[in-house]
Amino acid sequence: MLMCRGCYVSADKQFIIWFGEEDQLRIMCMKKGTKLNEVFDRLRDGLDMVESIEGIKFATSTKYGYVTSCPSNLGTGMRASVHIKCKFCILISNMNKAVINYSKRK
């Protein structure tokens, strides 16, 4: 059996494909901003492109969906996350430390 690993990174570094990782194939798409549908649309287009490559066929089950090597991703094989930048979290954290330090003085 031939074992290969590889990585594709788009020019804008917002679309990445890992081959032969924990999952057989990991496709990541990310973008700054609030338009989640743009990220999902680009991801869908990437998946369509990968699935259209001749000779590539993904293992699927009518009962379980896409069959991956990682049981936590059984089904759609999709995992999504959102990172939120909270501009005032550092300020609040510093204020809490100041209040605690002040209360210890009394």
Side-chain angles (χ1 to χ4, degrees), residues 59-79:
T60 59
S61 162
T62 55
K63 185 175 179 180
Y64 298 111
Y66 283 94
V67 180
T68 68
S69 59
C70 184
S72 65
N73 293 333
L74 192 64
T76 64
M78 184 176 167
R79 179 174 49 204

Side-chain angles (χ1 to χ4, degrees), residues 3 6 15 19-21 31 35 37 60 66 71-72 76 81 88:
M3 297 291 288
F15 188 82
F19 303 91
E21 208 263 345
K31 182 177 181 171
K35 297 179 180 175
N37 60 316
T60 59
Y66 283 94
S72 65
T76 64
S81 61
F88 298 106

Side-chain angles (χ1 to χ4, degrees), residues 2 6 11 18 27 36 40 48 56 61 72 83 87 93 99 102:
L2 178 64
W18 287 353
I27 301 175
L36 297 178
F40 190 81
D48 290 344
I56 292 183
S61 162
S72 65
H83 299 265
K87 294 180 180 181
S93 175
V99 169
Y102 180 77

Side-chain angles (χ1 to χ4, degrees):
M1 172 185 259
L2 178 64
M3 297 291 288
C4 298
R5 288 185 174 200
C7 182
Y8 163 81
V9 180
S10 65
D12 64 5
K13 296 182 173 51
Q14 294 181 349
F15 188 82
I16 302 166
I17 302 176
W18 287 353
F19 303 91
E21 208 263 345
E22 174 186 76
D23 301 315
Q24 297 146 358
L25 182 71
R26 181 173 291 187
I27 301 175
M28 295 173 282
C29 188
M30 56 204 118
K31 182 177 181 171
K32 290 183 179 183
T34 58
K35 297 179 180 175
L36 297 178
N37 60 316
E38 289 179 5
V39 178
F40 190 81
D41 290 345
R42 185 173 184 185
L43 178 62
R44 187 194 65 233
D45 292 343
L47 290 170
D48 290 344
M49 186 272 308
V50 170
E51 288 186 323
S52 72
I53 297 172
E54 190 173 329
I56 292 183
K57 184 169 174 150
F58 295 100
T60 59
S61 162
T62 55
K63 185 175 179 180
Y64 298 111
Y66 283 94
V67 180
T68 68
S69 59
C70 184
S72 65
N73 293 333
L74 192 64
T76 64
M78 184 176 167
R79 179 174 49 204
S81 61
V82 176
H83 299 265
I84 301 172
K85 182 177 181 180
C86 299
K87 294 180 180 181
F88 298 106
C89 288
I90 294 172
L91 177 63
I92 292 169
S93 175
N94 290 338
M95 287 173 52
N96 286 340
K97 290 176 188 174
V99 169
I100 289 169
N101 287 336
Y102 180 77
S103 64
K104 287 180 181 177
R105 292 183 196 169
K106 289 188 172 191

